[in-house]
Amino acid sequence: MKIFLDTANLDEIRRGAEFGVLDGITTNPTLVAKENRPFRELILEACRILRGGVVNAEVVSTDTAGMVREGRELASWHPSIVVKVPMLPAGIRAVRLLRDEGIRTNVTLVFSPAQALLAAKAGAYFVSPFLGRLDDIAQDGLGLLREIVGIYRNYHFETQVLAASLRHPMHIMEAAKIGADIATMPYKVFEQLFQHPLTDRGLETFLKDWAKARESLGEIVEPTAPKIGR
Ligand code: G3P
């Protein structure tokens, strides 16, 4: 499963990229608006940091012609860019037109298997079901993911399933078990994936024991215990 960060924050992208396990990022108009930087400059800097990783950038038009125009523009900025298009009838038309021009799209704001089926039929490169937002209204986000993965398998659709709106590590692990191609997550959730109290406790014991025995160990390395985010 590929790991994307769901952020437009360049510090988070930089920090995430340093681990060497990041495959890309997803952004949306809300995330970009928070950063207070020119859109193009921000997206291009993300492409530079991610060195070949995928950068998802979203259109804001809601008519087909506008989405296609924006999609062409976004895709022309850098080969790493995938164009996010909202799941609207006009968006599905735009996805098909952009696909025919070789432009990769990500159909976003997907909340039903029927919408995901249409996205795949139109030739989307990614489809983004929003799990957390369904959970927020007491519907089963992971259930939706399971249905989409099942349908895509039945028909060998090439569209990759990008599990989005993930809020905690269990979402990520369940998405992996279901077989999502990609999970996108906030930086905070990415950090949580590293953690286990038994790892911390085990390491503490190892280092204490090492320090107690150091006299008898001869030439030893000074122990350090760097942690994510520190
Ligand atoms: O990538 C989609 C994602 O940004 C939505 O997440 O947490 O705003 O529902 P959230």
Side-chain angles (χ1 to χ4, degrees):
M1 185 175 71
K2 291 181 192 133
I3 294 181
F4 286 5
L5 285 183
D6 194 28
T7 184
N9 182 279
L10 292 174
D11 289 336
E12 289 183 346
I13 297 168
R14 242 177 246 117
R15 269 185 281 152
E18 280 171 10
F19 290 100
V21 296
L22 204 62
D23 300 291
I25 59 157
T26 44
T27 68
N28 62 36
T30 305
L31 294 172
V32 171
K34 276 196 221 159
E35 298 305 314
N36 215 10
R37 286 179 77 136
F39 185 32
R40 185 170 188 273
E41 177 191 300
L42 182 122
I43 292 294
L44 286 177
E45 184 59 13
C47 292
R48 200 193 59 73
I49 295 167
L50 288 166
R51 291 200 233 131
V54 172
V55 173
N56 284 268
E58 188 158 340
V59 302
V60 288
S61 297
T62 52
D63 63 300
T64 302
M67 288 191 236
V68 169
R69 197 170 47 247
E70 273 189 69
R72 284 183 187 137
E73 167 73 16
L74 291 171
S76 75
W77 292 351
H78 197 282
S80 296
I81 293 171
V82 172
V83 177
K84 280 180 87 176
V85 174
M87 176 62 223
L88 300 170
I92 291 298
R93 281 196 291 271
V95 165
R96 167 52 62 136
L97 293 168
L98 290 167
R99 204 282 306 258
D100 291 347
E101 294 180 20
I103 294 173
R104 297 179 299 173
T105 56
N106 173 355
V107 175
T108 187
L109 290 166
V110 165
F111 294 96
S112 80
Q115 291 178 327
L117 177 63
L118 292 172
K121 295 282 293 175
Y125 187 68
F126 296 141
V127 66
S128 293
F130 277 27
L131 277 53
R133 291 193 193 185
L134 271 182
D135 293 353
D136 288 345
I137 58 161
Q139 291 190 16
D140 183 6
L142 286 166
L144 170 66
L145 182 66
R146 203 171 288 112
E147 285 178 304
I148 295 173
V149 169
I151 290 168
Y152 282 16
R153 277 200 193 126
N154 286 346
Y155 298 101
H156 308 290
F157 284 123
E158 285 175 10
T159 305
Q160 296 174 53
V161 182
L162 193 167
S165 184
L166 304 179
R167 305 275 171 76
H168 46 73
M170 281 306 285
H171 266 155
I172 318 300
M173 288 307 98
E174 291 303 317
K177 285 192 240 170
I178 289 167
D181 298 288
I182 305 137
T184 190
M185 65 202 79
Y187 191 80
K188 180 174 152 278
V189 175
F190 176 64
E191 276 187 320
Q192 288 172 329
L193 296 183
F194 286 81
Q195 324 245 317
H196 197 287
L198 291 181
T199 305
D200 294 346
R201 216 182 301 158
L203 183 61
E204 206 184 312
T205 308
F206 286 160
L207 296 180
K208 260 195 214 142
D209 292 343
W210 186 264
K212 266 189 259 160
R214 60 181 304 162
E215 299 277 295
S216 57
L217 291 169
E219 293 247 334
I220 57 166
V221 181
E222 279 303 314
T224 55
K227 287 202 167 172
I228 181 170
R230 296 201 191 149

